[in-house]
Amino acid sequence: MGVAGLTREGLFHLESLALRREFTPVAAAGHEPRNVAGLGGCQQLSMAELVEVQIDLAIIATLPEIRIQTAREFLSHGTSVLIEAGIEARERESLEACLQLAIEKELFCGIWQPELSEPDFLAAKSVAASEATGAVRSARLIQHGLASGMSSRESVNSSVQKDLTTRTAISVIRQRLAQLLQLIEEPVSRIHSTVRGSEMTASTMLVEFESGATGLIDVDLAATTAIDTGWVLQTRQGGYHAGRQSLKEADGEVYELPVLAKPDDPYTRLAWLLRSDTSVRLEHSRRTVRDELKVADLMATPPG
C-alpha cells in the first residue's frame, strides 16, 4: 500500500498501517517535508514516483484541493484508491468521473468513512433499524469543547491549535451529518445551518426530512465546557442514548435494555473489501461516493 499526502491524515494512516499485519505500507509521497522511514520501513518518494509503484491501494490524503486529481492519476495507472472525505459539492462531476474510471478498470474507488465505525453510532444505528422501536422521529447530538471533537489523529497541545480547531470543527460537522443520514435514511426536505465564532469553530445544523423526522447537530469546539452527548434518538416506540435503548410496551410501560452493537474496525473492513470480489468492491465504491456527495450537497447549503 501507499499513502499520497503527508498531511496529518496521511501520517495517521501510515502509523496505523505500520501496526497492522494485514497491510504493508511500502511508500509515501507528499509536498510536506516529513520523515517516514520509521513507519514500517516505507520509502518517501515524489508523487510522480509513487504513481509508478506497483501497489494494491493508494490512500489519497493530500490537501483537499488536489485530492480528486491525485486519485485520478493513480486510477489511470491501474491502482485502486481510498479517498479521504471532504469533497465539495462543486467537485461532483470530477468525483463521478473518477468513479466511472474505476468501474471501467474494475478498480476500487472508495471514500474513507471511519465515523461509521464508531461504537456509539453503531449502537444508535442498530436501534434505528429495529422494528421493535419503530421509525426515528428525531436524532440529536451535542458536541462541545475541543477535546470532545479530537480524534486520535490530533493533539490538543498542537502548536497550530487555532487552525486545527477550525479544520476539526468542519470535519466533525461533516462526520456527524454523514452519520445522521445513515440513522434517518429518508429524503431531506430542508436544512438550516448557522455558523458561530470568528474562526468558524461552532455550527448548528437542523435537518428536516420529508417524513417529518428531524436531526439536530450542535458542534462548538471552542467551548470551555466539554459536552458530548453522543446520539440521542426518539423513535415511535422508544429511543436510544448512551448505549441503552428504551422500549414502550402496549400497556404504556417503558423499560431499558443495553445495546450490544457488533464492533467494527475501518481497517479490518478495508482489508476485507480488498479481498472481496470485484462486484463487492465496486458496489462499495458507488455507495461511499454517493454518500459523500449527499453530505457535500447539504454542507453547501447557505447558512440560514
Side-chain angles (χ1 to χ4, degrees):
M1 298 183 70
V3 175
L6 297 179
T7 58
R8 75 183 192 282
E9 294 90 353
L11 291 175
F12 175 83
H13 283 297
L14 277 175
E15 292 169 359
S16 300
L17 294 172
L19 296 173
R20 305 184 72 98
R21 293 181 179 179
E22 61 265 51
F23 299 111
T24 304
V26 296
H31 302 293
E32 306 82 357
R34 309 279 190 183
N35 181 12
V36 300
L39 299 176
C42 67
Q43 294 180 288
Q44 184 168 348
L45 306 174
S46 69
M47 198 67 73
E49 291 172 328
L50 182 58
V51 167
E52 298 291 342
V53 175
Q54 294 292 321
I55 51 178
D56 296 320
L57 180 77
I59 297 179
I60 310 301
T62 60
L63 296 174
E65 53 266 28
I66 60 172
R67 208 162 277 172
I68 297 180
Q69 173 190 338
T70 305
R72 189 174 182 85
E73 290 178 7
F74 280 93
L75 289 170
S76 297
H77 282 75
T79 302
S80 293
V81 296
L82 179 68
I83 307 172
E84 275 283 339
I87 305 302
E88 296 185 14
R90 60 180 175 80
E91 299 176 295
R92 170 180 288 275
E93 290 186 5
S94 298
L95 181 56
E96 290 177 338
C98 262
L99 175 61
Q100 186 57 40
L101 178 60
I103 293 172
E104 292 171 0
K105 289 177 168 284
E106 297 189 342
L107 298 171
F108 178 71
C109 178
I111 305 295
W112 181 240
Q113 299 175 310
E115 66 275 6
L116 300 187
S117 296
E118 292 179 3
D120 178 70
F121 165 74
L122 292 173
K125 187 175 181 180
S126 70
V127 172
S130 170
E131 293 183 1
T133 54
V136 176
R137 290 178 168 177
S138 71
R140 61 182 174 88
L141 179 144
I142 300 173
Q143 195 164 331
H144 288 187
L146 180 60
S148 70
M150 303 298 280
S151 71
S152 57
R153 301 179 181 187
E154 297 142 354
S155 168
V156 175
N157 297 318
S158 170
S159 61
V160 292
Q161 179 172 323
K162 184 176 181 180
D163 174 60
L164 182 58
T165 304
T166 303
R167 292 158 59 199
T168 303
I170 296 171
S171 174
V172 169
I173 292 165
R174 287 188 68 107
Q175 290 178 344
R176 300 313 173 207
L177 182 57
Q179 291 178 337
L180 175 62
L181 297 178
Q182 298 277 330
L183 294 173
I184 305 178
E185 296 183 285
E186 301 169 3
V188 173
S189 60
R190 188 178 303 174
I191 182 167
H192 308 270
S193 64
T194 59
V195 179
R196 308 185 302 280
S198 58
E199 300 296 331
M200 299 176 62
T201 55
S203 178
T204 300
M205 301 185 70
L206 174 63
V207 183
E208 298 178 2
F209 296 85
E210 290 184 0
S211 66
T214 60
L216 176 67
I217 305 169
D218 185 3
V219 175
D220 186 352
L221 300 183
T224 55
T225 301
I227 303 173
D228 194 349
T229 64
W231 281 107
V232 180
L233 306 183
Q234 289 187 346
T235 68
R236 193 172 300 279
Q237 296 294 331
Y240 167 81
H241 179 230
R244 299 185 69 82
Q245 66 174 326
S246 58
L247 292 170
K248 184 177 181 180
E249 295 189 320
D251 59 3
E253 183 178 355
V254 178
Y255 64 96
E256 289 189 349
L257 293 171
V259 181
L260 303 176
K262 183 179 179 180
D264 187 24
D265 175 77
Y267 287 106
T268 300
R269 178 174 292 272
L270 176 61
W272 174 80
L273 279 167
L274 295 178
R275 294 193 304 267
S276 299
D277 294 338
T278 300
S279 61
V280 175
R281 296 196 302 270
L282 293 181
E283 176 55 32
H284 182 84
S285 300
R286 292 187 185 97
R287 180 181 61 77
T288 58
V289 166
R290 182 184 67 241
D291 291 347
E292 177 71 1
L293 290 175
K294 188 182 299 183
V295 171
D297 288 339
L298 293 177
M299 289 292 293
T301 303

